[in-house]
């Protein structure tokens, strides 16, 4: 407890921020501090999952698997042994390459949907489930990607008001570099 009687949350903020700085020694220190001060180990494990998705993201998708596995391990074995998978994940996450491109993309998409709620879906993305649907042109213009030579057909899949809006801006670090190369090949090349 802090002097004013309010529980000190600064160690959890310290742990979250130190992942971004790729400092495993400081990350282990803040983990130990939180555990010794009685922080719920499952709260810490949830913070690891958040960091894996928000800060590491597509640069190292395995970070999410490790963070989720850590949560399950801590939940199953409890403390004091739970500190070991927490330490493993803490070090792994702190040394992982970082990308917040997915986090930024979903935030921008949320903002777009909030500011411009649109119910229209392009006709080629709809399934013609009945003869009447077909008569109204539902599904017209749909092309099956797998039937193309490259398994990809470039087509605007947004409502007309948005027309090829860009939300995802890949970062060329870690595994995301491969995704960036593919994204550019598919969507930015004419």
């Amino acid at each position: 407890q802090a002097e004013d009687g309010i529980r000190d949350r600064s160690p959890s903020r310290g742990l979250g921020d130190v992942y971004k700085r790729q400092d495993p020694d400081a990350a282990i220190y803040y983990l130990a501090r939180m555990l010794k001060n009685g922080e719920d180990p499952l709260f810490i494990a949830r913070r690891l999952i958040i960091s894996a998705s928000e800060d590491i993201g597509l640069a190292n998708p395995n970070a999410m698997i490790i963070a989720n596995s850590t949560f399950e391990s801590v939940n199953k074995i409890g403390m004091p042994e739970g500190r070991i998978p927490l330490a493993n994940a803490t070090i792994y996450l702190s040394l992982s390459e970082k990308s917040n491109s997915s986090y930024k993309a979903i935030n921008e998409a949320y903002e777009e949907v909030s500011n411009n709620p649109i119910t229209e879906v392009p006709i080629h993305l709809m399934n013609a489930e009945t003869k009447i649907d077909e008569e109204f042109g539902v599904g017209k213009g749909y092309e099956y990607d797998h039937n193309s030579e490259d398994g990809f057909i470039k087509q605007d899949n947004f409502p007309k008001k948005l027309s090829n809006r860009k939300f995802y801006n890949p970062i060329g670090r870690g595994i995301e570099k491969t995704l960036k190369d593919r994204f550019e090949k598919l969507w930015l090349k004419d």
Side-chain angles (χ1 to χ4, degrees):
Q1 297 241 346
E3 288 180 13
D4 62 3
I6 297 173
R7 190 169 174 190
D8 182 10
R9 287 284 184 190
S10 58
S12 67
R13 282 194 296 264
L15 183 61
D17 288 341
V18 83
Y19 287 126
K20 297 172 196 167
R21 301 194 176 275
Q22 302 184 52
D23 185 343
D25 292 316
I28 283 292
Y29 166 78
Y30 285 109
L31 171 64
R33 185 171 157 181
M34 290 172 69
L35 291 170
K36 284 300 249 176
N37 287 336
E39 188 62 74
D40 178 5
L42 290 176
F43 168 80
I44 298 169
R46 284 190 294 274
R47 295 299 308 162
L48 294 174
I49 294 169
I50 293 166
S51 181
S53 59
E54 182 179 326
D55 300 319
I56 296 165
L58 295 173
N60 182 358
N62 286 328
M64 275 295 286
I65 296 167
I66 288 171
N68 276 291
S69 178
T70 298
F71 181 90
E72 289 301 318
S73 296
V74 171
N75 195 36
K76 288 177 184 173
I77 65 175
M79 292 299 286
E81 292 84 359
R83 75 188 189 287
I84 301 164
L86 286 169
N88 290 337
T90 294
I91 292 169
Y92 184 86
L93 268 57
S94 68
L95 291 174
S96 288
E97 293 188 81
K98 310 297 189 273
S99 171
N100 64 353
S101 62
S102 297
Y103 174 75
K104 289 165 80 173
I106 190 63
N107 287 345
E108 287 181 33
Y110 259 58
E111 185 177 335
E112 179 65 46
V113 170
S114 295
N115 293 336
N116 301 300
I118 298 172
T119 56
E120 166 200 342
V121 174
I123 201 88
H124 71 272
L125 292 179
M126 296 182 192
N127 290 328
E129 297 176 8
T130 66
K131 286 285 184 192
I132 294 172
D133 288 343
E134 288 176 13
E135 289 172 17
F136 281 102
V138 173
K140 184 179 180 184
Y142 176 78
E143 297 181 58
Y144 190 57
D145 288 75
H146 296 286
N147 289 341
S148 72
E149 186 177 323
D150 296 326
F152 172 75
I153 297 170
K154 189 174 185 174
Q155 192 169 15
D156 188 350
N157 296 301
F158 281 97
K160 288 179 185 171
K161 292 181 183 178
L162 291 180
S163 187
N164 279 323
R165 173 78 158 75
K166 299 292 180 228
F167 295 107
Y168 175 56
N169 294 299
I171 295 171
R173 286 192 292 270
I175 292 170
E176 191 171 15
K177 175 154 181 20
T178 303
L179 299 175
K180 180 180 190 282
D181 293 345
R182 177 143 177 86
F183 176 76
E184 290 172 352
K185 176 184 172 191
L186 295 176
W187 291 101
L188 303 180
K189 198 174 176 184
D190 284 326

